[in-house]
Amino acid sequence: MALVLWLVVLRPLPVPWVYDTNLTPLASLRSSTGWQVVGEFLLLAPLGVLLPLAGGRLRAPWLPSFLRTTGASALLATGLEFLSSWTPGHVLNVDHILLAVIGVAITHLALVPGLRRLLRDRRPQVRVPVPAPGAAPATAPAPAPAPKVTALVGPPVARARAYAEPTPPAR
């Protein structure tokens, strides 16, 4: 309850010399320059590559990966825009969120499938020699013998413990 009251009290009030929040999608694009729009596209664009490749899965299906990436970037962009609206002179603008998420989505679709394919192709592959036509089929080499495993038998060795054991009470 105190947190809600704190948020309501400290929220900046609208004043006549600052624009009010923009909650209408694509309404502020008329007053923006091309460089501002490009900057909004590129703001979170690296996440379009970094988020899907951070898990290291090279064979992930593209649609779930795309949805996870755009969903995470939408949450992050919304949080960043909400936090930045607390600074003086910056008002909440839904266009910033939309353009950042579109930039992440475009980056993801443009780069991630090719990067995953490139990383999959760089993995070493086992090559089987193919005999020349007309040559006698080669026999498979004999498998190497399995290594001998010997068990060590003796008194148990004291191991270092992560936590100290309680000492029994003295009688």
Side-chain angles (χ1 to χ4, degrees):
M1 180 66 185
L3 178 65
V4 172
L5 183 62
W6 180 73
L7 288 173
V8 170
V9 169
L10 293 180
R11 184 84 178 131
L13 296 174
V15 290
W17 58 85
V18 177
Y19 291 113
D20 200 12
T21 60
N22 173 28
L23 299 178
T24 307
L26 306 176
S28 68
L29 289 183
R30 279 179 246 128
S31 63
S32 299
T33 65
W35 288 111
Q36 289 173 334
V37 173
V38 169
E40 291 297 328
F41 274 126
L42 297 177
L43 182 65
L44 296 179
L47 292 180
V49 175
L50 296 176
L51 286 178
L53 294 182
R57 297 187 321 176
L58 298 179
R59 300 202 183 278
W62 75 271
L63 185 61
S65 173
F66 175 74
L67 294 176
R68 274 192 308 267
T69 303
T70 53
S73 67
L75 289 173
L76 184 64
T78 303
L80 287 174
E81 186 65 24
F82 180 74
L83 287 176
S84 67
S85 71
W86 286 66
T87 60
H90 184 81
V91 292
L92 184 75
N93 190 349
V94 74
D95 293 341
H96 295 169
I97 299 169
L98 288 175
L99 293 176
V101 172
I102 290 170
V104 168
I106 290 171
T107 305
H108 179 86
L109 291 175
L111 297 177
V112 170
L115 286 174
R116 281 188 172 151
R117 188 174 302 116
L118 178 71
L119 291 173
R120 276 195 311 260
D121 292 345
R122 287 186 61 201
R123 283 190 165 177
Q125 297 176 355
V126 177
R127 296 182 185 248
V128 178
V130 178
T139 59
K148 255 189 187 178
V149 178
T150 57
L152 297 176
V153 179
V157 179
R159 294 181 290 162
R161 303 210 181 247
Y163 300 101
E165 293 182 356
T167 55
R171 292 188 188 198

